Amino acid sequence: MKILVTGGLGFIGSHTVVELQNEGFEVVIIDNCSNSSTEVLKGITKITGQEPVLEIFDLREKEKVQDFFKRHTNIKGVIHFAASKAVGESVEKPLLYYENNITTLVYLLQQLQEQEAANFIFSSSCTVYGQADELPITENAPVKAAESPYGNTKQIGEEIIQDTCKVTPNVKAISLRYFNPIGAHPSAKIGELPLGVPQNLIPFITQTAIGLREQLSVFGDDYPTSDGTCIRDYIHVVDLAKAHVVALQRLLQDKNTSNYEVFNVGTGTGSTVLEVITSFEQVSQQKLNYKIVGRRDGDVIAAYADTTKANQELGWKAKSGLEDSLDSAWKWEQKVRQTK
Ligand code: WQD
């Protein structure tokens, strides 16, 4: 069965391609390689023994999207990762984010509307909840005003899909609201490859530990949490990838209860920044050079998932804990630097 994965060479996309292939799906990737490389294709192929089909083009080119679906008439599902994801950059370049994340979504849905039956999985984010009033966060928590154009593209994206599903019963969709994806494939053949200075905590930690960065700045220790640092729900990217496969299977097997559904994807456990650092020091057997600095604009105090809905309706649960995830991230960092 043929599945289209947009952004399939990216961090979460590549791990999802592996899990899809492991489950016997045939994968076609569209990627513009703006934040990834064809080396990733080699990593995927080494893990699964199968090379996915890759088409390199930009989904903003509407004619190319149309042409793709004319050539591939038997796509049974689409998992849409291709998007820009740097929160800070989105504040600087909002229109780039609206073009990359919204226009491309519209072009894809226009194609799916034409199909007899279409199944669509969307990469959404826990950022839609902002600072939730209650923890852990359930899917019923209200969506709060977005803190950044990036966050807004996820909210608008969900609305566009919901509106489409309302009038187009042949399109079935699930939005997966990711908490904080980290880690790498246990084989260390694929992982996260941030461009430039990493904005996210884990790649910054691993790059500091390997000597690429001098020091990690911990943004604020005066939050109302156990040790004063922010709490997040860090989920292993392989667990997250598997959630996409079960979500897709739910649609393919007609087990969905409505043609638009939303699921949180997290571990259900929150960790503070200092807990992450301690855990990293344990798994890597290294002392991490860090200092406490001021708060970062836009950070929420605490976010972790209530995963009951995904547990019960998708039959999915995260298997890896923080240590496993950090261990895989560290092994990947070491591997990447060795081969450079
Ligand atoms: C985690 C914690 C920081 C860097 C963002 C997006 C979200 C999602 C994932 C992505 C926070 C602290 C970080 C550093 C630090 N989407 N930190 N020093 O902000 O929870 O979520 O990435 O594609 O939509 O908003 O993740 O990894 O940036 O931060 O102290 O150098 O680590 O303050 O508490 P965040 P993060």
Side-chain angles (χ1 to χ4, degrees), residues 126-127 129-132 134-137 179-180 225 230-234 267-271 300-306:
C126 68
T127 191
Y129 298 118
Q131 180 56 66
E134 282 171 42
L135 294 167
I137 304 172
F179 282 67
N180 290 53
T225 62
C230 292
I231 296 173
R232 297 287 183 275
D233 183 340
Y234 297 94
T267 64
T269 303
S271 307
V300 298
I301 305 164
Y304 51 96
D306 183 319

Side-chain angles (χ1 to χ4, degrees), residues 31-36 58 84 195:
D31 203 299
N32 68 357
C33 292
S34 63
N35 192 15
S36 58
D58 196 308
S84 299
L195 279 184

Side-chain angles (χ1 to χ4, degrees), residues 7 17 50 80 89 97 144 166 176 224 260 270 290 295:
V17 170
Q50 304 160 58
H80 180 43
E89 185 189 43
Y97 273 67
K144 296 254 175 94
K166 249 183 231 160
L176 296 179
Y260 178 68
Y290 72 90
R295 292 181 176 194

Side-chain angles (χ1 to χ4, degrees), residues 197-198 204-217 287-291:
V197 182
F204 207 104
I205 288 179
T206 56
Q207 288 198 6
T208 306
I210 206 101
L212 264 184
R213 313 273 156 216
E214 206 177 309
Q215 191 172 51
L216 167 76
S217 296
K287 227 34 228 140
L288 192 74
N289 183 20
Y290 72 90
K291 71 163 184 238

Side-chain angles (χ1 to χ4, degrees), residues 85 87 125 127 150 179-181 199-202 204 216-219 230 232 234 273 296 299:
K85 62 172 185 182
V87 177
S125 168
T127 191
Y150 162 75
F179 282 67
N180 290 53
Q199 305 301 309
N200 296 114
L201 180 62
I202 308 313
F204 207 104
L216 167 76
S217 296
V218 173
F219 299 134
C230 292
R232 297 287 183 275
Y234 297 94
V273 178
R296 180 174 72 175
D299 268 339

Side-chain angles (χ1 to χ4, degrees), residues 48-334:
T48 63
Q50 304 160 58
E51 183 168 326
V53 173
L54 170 64
E55 296 214 6
I56 300 177
F57 66 89
D58 196 308
L59 290 167
R60 287 174 294 180
E61 296 187 66
K62 190 173 183 174
E63 292 74 31
K64 292 201 176 158
V65 178
Q66 288 169 329
D67 175 64
F68 174 89
F69 281 94
K70 274 190 199 124
R71 287 183 290 109
H72 296 270
T73 49
N74 54 348
I75 300 268
K76 298 292 180 211
V78 177
I79 307 187
H80 180 43
F81 293 102
S84 299
K85 62 172 185 182
V87 177
E89 185 189 43
S90 79
V91 177
E92 308 286 317
K93 301 174 185 168
L95 293 179
L96 179 72
Y97 273 67
Y98 290 116
E99 186 183 32
N100 275 350
N101 297 6
I102 303 298
T103 309
T104 57
L105 173 65
V106 171
Y107 291 168
L108 277 174
L109 290 173
Q110 283 172 336
Q111 295 304 307
L112 298 189
Q113 261 191 334
E114 301 303 315
Q115 295 185 358
E116 218 168 281
N119 300 300
F120 189 74
I121 309 290
F122 180 61
S123 294
S124 189
S125 168
C126 68
T127 191
V128 302
Y129 298 118
Q131 180 56 66
D133 302 321
E134 282 171 42
L135 294 167
I137 304 172
T138 72
E139 289 81 355
N140 294 326
V143 167
K144 296 254 175 94
E147 288 276 351
S148 67
Y150 162 75
N152 209 20
T153 64
K154 294 299 170 189
Q155 294 189 4
I156 297 169
E158 286 196 9
E159 286 168 9
I160 290 172
I161 299 165
Q162 194 169 15
D163 289 345
T164 307
C165 288
K166 249 183 231 160
V167 295
T168 323
N170 52 318
V171 177
K172 296 192 290 183
I174 290 179
S175 287
L176 296 179
R177 292 177 175 165
Y178 314 155
F179 282 67
N180 290 53
I182 64 165
H185 196 268
S187 66
K189 290 184 169 42
I190 52 172
E192 193 170 7
L193 284 168
L195 279 184
V197 182
Q199 305 301 309
N200 296 114
L201 180 62
I202 308 313
F204 207 104
I205 288 179
T206 56
Q207 288 198 6
T208 306
I210 206 101
L212 264 184
R213 313 273 156 216
E214 206 177 309
Q215 191 172 51
L216 167 76
S217 296
V218 173
F219 299 134
D221 70 347
D222 57 351
Y223 287 98
T225 62
S226 58
D227 59 24
T229 62
C230 292
I231 296 173
R232 297 287 183 275
D233 183 340
Y234 297 94
I235 173 161
H236 196 301
V237 64
V238 172
D239 281 328
L240 176 56
K242 288 183 173 157
H244 290 80
V245 178
V246 291
L248 179 69
Q249 281 164 338
R250 177 177 173 86
L251 296 181
L252 291 169
Q253 293 161 10
D254 256 330
K255 289 189 176 151
N256 52 307
T257 50
S258 131
N259 71 330
Y260 178 68
E261 297 177 313
V262 172
F263 291 94
N264 283 342
V265 190
T267 64
T269 303
S271 307
T272 68
V273 178
L274 292 179
E275 284 166 353
V276 172
I277 292 173
T278 306
S279 180
F280 178 78
E281 289 182 332
Q282 272 162 9
V283 299
S284 68
Q285 295 291 304
Q286 300 234 4
K287 227 34 228 140
L288 192 74
N289 183 20
Y290 72 90
K291 71 163 184 238
I292 310 285
V293 301
R295 292 181 176 194
R296 180 174 72 175
D297 275 353
D299 268 339
V300 298
I301 305 164
Y304 51 96
D306 183 319
T307 60
T308 312
K309 192 177 174 198
N311 300 162
Q312 290 179 350
E313 295 185 35
L314 296 178
W316 172 93
K317 204 173 184 354
K319 290 204 177 94
S320 294
L322 184 61
E323 289 205 353
D324 283 346
S325 303
L326 292 172
D327 186 48
S328 68
W330 178 230
K331 290 203 170 100
W332 167 246
E333 186 70 61
Q334 290 171 293

